[in-house]
Structures are given as C-alpha cells and as structure tokens.
Amino acid sequence: MTATLRIAYHMAAFSWYAFIVKSLAAKDGEDLPPGIFVYGGPWKYLTFLNLVSLLQMVFFGLAAVNDFQPGKKSENFLQRCTDLLFSVFAFPVGMFVVLLFWTIFAYDRELVYPATIDAFFPPWINHAMHSFVLPILLGEIMVQPRVYPKIKHGLAALGIVGLAYLSWVIWVYLSVGIWVYPLLGLFSKAGLMGFFFFNMSVVTLLYLLGEKLNSYIWCPCRL
C-alpha cells in the first residue's frame, strides 16, 4: 500500500467525520424531538462518543498527522498511540455500534432510534453515524497494518472503558429516571446484567476479529 494512498485515506476519513460532527453541532439549540432528552448532552450516546471521543474522528486525525512524521514508523510514539486506539477502541467499539444498532433497529426501531428523530436527523446522518463506520474501519485494516497489544492488556483496557460507559449510563438513569436507550427499560435487574455482559462479550469478539483480520491481511507470507 503506497504512502500516498494511505495519507489520502486517512485525510478523507478524518474530513468525513469532522463534517459529520460539524453537522451534528449545527443542531445545537434546536428543539429536541421526543426520544432525546437534554441531561448529559450528546455525550451519553455511544454513537456520539464513537464519532468524537478518542475514537473515529480523533483516531483518523492522529493517523493523518502520523503519516507526515519523519523517521521509522514503528519507533514513532504517535504510531504506537494510533495502533492502540485502533486495535483496542476504534475497531471493536465502532463495529459494535453498527452491529448492535441495526440489530435492534430491525427488531423495533422505537427501542433505539424512535421515528420522531427522523425529523431532527435526516436519514443520511443516521447512516453516517450507524452504517458508514463499518466499511471505513474495514478499509483502514486494508491500508495499514497495526501492532496489537497482548490480548490480556487489550481486553483489560477495553473492559475498563466499557465499565466506565456502563457506569455513566446508570448514572444518567439514576439522575433523571430515564434510560439513555428505551430498550434498557424493558429489562429486569438480572436482565440488564445479562444484557451488559452479552454486549461486553460481543465487543471482546470484535476485538479478537480485528486482530485476526490484521494478522491475516498483513501476514508476511501474503505480502
């Protein structure tokens, strides 16, 4: 994969996510439709965190900056940071958002993305947040190999972040009495624990999938 193509890919991906975030920010101040509540702002939604907070937009921004760094990439601190961000967070969380969202949406969209939101977010923004993330991540695996941490370290970091987000979701519920996602209101306490455990299991499998894909595509025997 030529350096020029890799740079172009990272710049294009970063520009795309920056455009999406700008489009979302332009909605600030508008009346919220039923299904969205004010407390916690957009930071209570995993979709928004996936786009902005140390994940897709930030990852591709750092990857683009790293492309212009001189010297051997493997010895570059920024390279190691982007390897960690992609392998442990951007890929498994991004894939999880897409797969879980559309699975629930297909079953009953009112449980995750009520129809009233369509008047607030046009369909293209919905797909930008919940569909296009997947092919962009798969494309990233194709354009640049990543060095994965030891599995136990990677899963430990992923678990800490998962527990932090779970704690935030529960805090929002305890503060305002409303679940971030209507689906959660259907579960008993035991059901919630089972659902959260299932989600973490899926994210773990996606982490392992990313590692396998990276190894398969960039195995020296295939180059």
Side-chain angles (χ1 to χ4, degrees), residues 4-20:
T4 301
L5 181 56
R6 183 173 62 249
I7 292 172
Y9 189 84
H10 289 156
M11 291 292 292
F14 172 73
S15 298
W16 166 248
Y17 283 122
F19 170 71
I20 298 304

Side-chain angles (χ1 to χ4, degrees), residues 96-151:
F96 174 77
V97 167
V98 174
L99 295 177
L100 185 65
F101 175 84
W102 287 112
T103 298
I104 299 174
F105 189 97
Y107 174 72
D108 183 356
R109 67 168 299 174
E110 297 300 317
L111 297 177
V112 66
Y113 196 84
T116 54
I117 298 179
D118 288 343
F120 190 74
F121 290 132
W124 74 267
I125 287 186
N126 181 21
H127 285 290
M129 296 187 296
H130 299 116
S131 299
F132 300 152
V133 174
L134 188 150
I136 293 174
L137 287 172
L138 293 178
E140 172 61 20
I141 290 182
M142 299 294 293
V143 302
Q144 183 165 351
R146 294 292 170 185
V147 177
Y148 273 65
K150 292 182 179 180
I151 291 180

